[in-house]
Amino acid sequence: LFFFFLMIRRPPRSTQSRSSAASDVYKRQVSTQSTWELGEMKPYNLKKRQPIHIDRTKACPFLLKVYPKYKGEHTLKQFEANDKDLLADEIHLHTWSDASLRELTDLLKEFVPAAKQKDSVLEYYVVYPSPHGKGYMKKPAGTVFAIGKGKDDLLTIHEIGMRIGDRMDVSIKSKND
């Protein structure tokens, strides 16, 4: 008596064709990258970008490296040297470019006890490679209160000009500081 098992591969939910799931992910990333103007060496600007909407059921999230620090911020030299203290603070978040700073704050509250305090203020900074090829540069992205609403709550990762590969430094302070 012989039993034969036949496995039929179902396509992933995000695609209707029978092509490989990996190629579908890359195809979706290419369309996301063109929206973000990736590959172009344009200088970072502080001008607000147009909002975008991403179907999170079909788009692949990207890795965002976040470096929270209580009562202070990381220096650019720490980023350049991959400092041990910097790496100890590193948190990996998988998110989409339409995620708001409020969403990031809520995620950070799960990992950083200081972010949960009712009088905490989170100041976000984008850390990106210098266009001159050496070192890093930093620009302010927005400020979000741990509890309560602020003017930067709805700013998205796309609107603040982040690109895939950029890092985010987060300074957590008390309102009284």
Side-chain angles (χ1 to χ4, degrees):
L1 190 66
F2 292 99
F3 291 100
F4 291 97
F5 291 98
L6 177 65
M7 289 190 64
I8 300 173
R9 186 181 77 81
R10 290 180 46 211
R13 289 184 205 164
S14 61
T15 180
Q16 302 300 320
S17 70
R18 299 252 184 242
S19 62
S20 75
S23 69
D24 291 336
V25 169
Y26 293 125
K27 288 175 192 172
R28 286 194 303 269
Q29 286 179 345
V30 168
S31 65
T32 303
Q33 289 176 352
S34 64
T35 304
W36 278 25
E37 301 172 355
L38 287 177
E40 300 176 19
M41 289 306 293
K42 290 185 176 181
Y44 282 74
N45 58 18
L46 298 175
K47 188 170 72 172
K48 187 176 177 183
R49 295 178 176 203
Q50 293 297 318
I52 59 169
H53 175 71
I54 294 178
D55 184 352
R56 293 183 178 187
T57 61
K58 295 181 180 176
C60 182
F62 69 95
L63 172 66
L64 176 62
K65 292 183 180 182
V66 181
Y67 302 87
K69 186 172 184 178
Y70 185 60
K71 292 191 177 183
E73 59 188 77
H74 297 96
T75 65
L76 292 176
K77 287 187 178 189
Q78 286 179 302
F79 284 98
E80 291 166 10
N82 274 334
D83 187 61
K84 288 181 183 178
D85 291 335
L86 175 75
L87 295 176
D89 292 338
E90 184 175 283
I91 296 175
H92 291 184
L93 300 177
H94 290 87
T95 188
W96 294 266
S97 60
D98 68 342
S100 68
L101 292 182
R102 169 55 58 194
E103 288 179 77
L104 294 180
T105 300
D106 292 341
L107 284 171
L108 284 175
K109 286 180 184 179
E110 296 178 27
F111 300 103
V112 184
K116 293 180 186 179
Q117 297 174 5
K118 63 181 178 181
D119 64 338
S120 291
V121 178
L122 288 80
E123 295 176 354
Y124 288 89
Y125 299 90
V126 177
V127 180
Y128 57 95
S130 171
H132 308 295
K134 290 187 178 181
Y136 287 90
M137 298 182 81
K138 186 188 280 193
K139 72 173 184 175
T143 302
V144 177
F145 300 103
I147 296 178
K149 293 184 179 181
K151 65 179 179 69
D152 296 334
D153 284 5
L154 299 178
L155 281 177
T156 66
I157 292 173
H158 174 77
E159 290 172 338
I160 61 176
M162 283 197 75
R163 299 178 184 171
I164 293 176
D166 290 350
R167 301 172 179 188
M168 187 164 277
D169 190 24
V170 182
S171 175
I172 303 171
K173 300 176 182 177
S174 172
K175 287 181 186 177
N176 302 327
D177 290 344

